[in-house]
């Protein structure tokens, strides 16, 4: 896994064509090298990256993490969900809000699972720097995961 964010919550840091000229060739060398050793390549990419998602797939990137909700996660799943494993899809900004309710968190997680889980190639993930609801988030992940993928082996 390599970390290199290409966007913020609303836009890419640079025009897609600029990314293609300046960064893509160098990233391609890294992806090719990793694959040459028989290893999957996962790319950490916070923020908005939807305009270059197809480029990432064309490069052979096996997984991306996280797919933030700043991207249109329904479109991302429909267009690329069979081509690249997607991690995330959670509204982590909501999870860290001081005035969020448990039901808002549960509904947000359910919504993300409804979009991202069907068809597989999805790993739910939500790294949050602060949430008083860490246990609730984990419980809802397990509940939704069991609904889509079956019970955990230790609960079967």
């Amino acid at each position: 896994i390599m970390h290199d964010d290409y966007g913020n919550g609303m836009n890419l840091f640079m025009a897609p064509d600029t990314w293609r000229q300046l960064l893509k060739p160098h990233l391609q060398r890294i992806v090719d090298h990793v694959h040459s050793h028989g290893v999957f390549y996962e790319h950490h990419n916070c923020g908005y990256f939807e305009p270059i998602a197809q480029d990432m797939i064309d490069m052979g990137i096996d997984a991306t993490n996280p797919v933030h909700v700043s991207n249109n996660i329904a479109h991302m799943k429909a267009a690329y969900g069979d081509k690249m494993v997607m991690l995330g899809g959670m509204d982590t900004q909501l999870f860290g809000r001081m005035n969020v309710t448990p039901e808002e968190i549960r509904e947000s997680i359910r919504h993300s699972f409804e979009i991202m889980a069907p068809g597989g190639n999805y790993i739910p993930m939500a790294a949050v720097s602060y949430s008083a609801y860490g246990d609730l988030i984990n419980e809802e992940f397990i509940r939704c995961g069991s609904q889509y993928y079956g019970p955990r082996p230790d609960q079967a």
Side-chain angles (χ1 to χ4, degrees), residues 35-106:
H35 284 161
S36 76
H37 291 281
V39 176
F40 291 113
Y41 178 87
E42 179 180 323
H43 193 82
H44 172 88
N45 186 26
C46 285
Y48 182 71
F49 71 95
E50 198 167 340
I52 59 170
Q54 185 61 56
D55 292 272
M56 295 171 72
I57 291 164
D58 294 344
M59 296 169 68
I61 291 175
D62 301 295
T64 186
N65 117 50
V67 178
H68 280 169
V69 295
S70 57
N71 299 280
N72 179 333
I73 63 171
H75 172 260
M76 295 284 285
K77 178 64 179 188
Y80 312 119
D82 62 339
K83 299 171 182 70
M84 178 169 53
V85 175
M86 297 182 196
L87 291 80
M90 301 289 163
D91 189 351
T92 56
Q93 302 255 329
L94 173 76
F95 299 167
R97 266 191 7 220
M98 296 301 289
N99 61 344
V100 68
T101 67
E103 188 49 42
E104 286 175 310
I105 291 173
R106 289 186 188 282

Side-chain angles (χ1 to χ4, degrees), residues 1-149:
I1 183 169
M2 188 173 89
H3 293 241
D4 195 9
D5 299 341
Y6 298 133
N8 59 30
M10 295 169 42
N11 294 298
L12 288 170
F13 293 141
M14 61 188 80
D17 286 341
T18 303
W19 178 86
R20 290 178 184 114
Q21 291 172 357
L22 296 178
L23 298 176
K24 185 177 178 179
H26 304 290
L27 180 58
Q28 184 69 68
R29 288 184 307 142
I30 294 167
V31 172
D32 291 346
H33 180 74
V34 169
H35 284 161
S36 76
H37 291 281
V39 176
F40 291 113
Y41 178 87
E42 179 180 323
H43 193 82
H44 172 88
N45 186 26
C46 285
Y48 182 71
F49 71 95
E50 198 167 340
I52 59 170
Q54 185 61 56
D55 292 272
M56 295 171 72
I57 291 164
D58 294 344
M59 296 169 68
I61 291 175
D62 301 295
T64 186
N65 117 50
V67 178
H68 280 169
V69 295
S70 57
N71 299 280
N72 179 333
I73 63 171
H75 172 260
M76 295 284 285
K77 178 64 179 188
Y80 312 119
D82 62 339
K83 299 171 182 70
M84 178 169 53
V85 175
M86 297 182 196
L87 291 80
M90 301 289 163
D91 189 351
T92 56
Q93 302 255 329
L94 173 76
F95 299 167
R97 266 191 7 220
M98 296 301 289
N99 61 344
V100 68
T101 67
E103 188 49 42
E104 286 175 310
I105 291 173
R106 289 186 188 282
E107 178 56 36
S108 178
I109 292 170
R110 285 191 296 265
H111 176 73
S112 294
F113 266 88
E114 288 169 4
I115 292 170
M116 301 295 282
N121 274 356
Y122 173 60
I123 300 172
M125 183 188 86
V128 292
S129 57
Y130 169 79
S131 180
Y133 296 107
D135 290 341
L136 180 142
I137 292 168
N138 288 333
E139 288 169 13
E140 195 65 20
F141 269 41
I142 291 167
R143 191 192 70 70
C144 290
S146 294
Q147 176 184 342
Y148 284 96
Y149 304 120

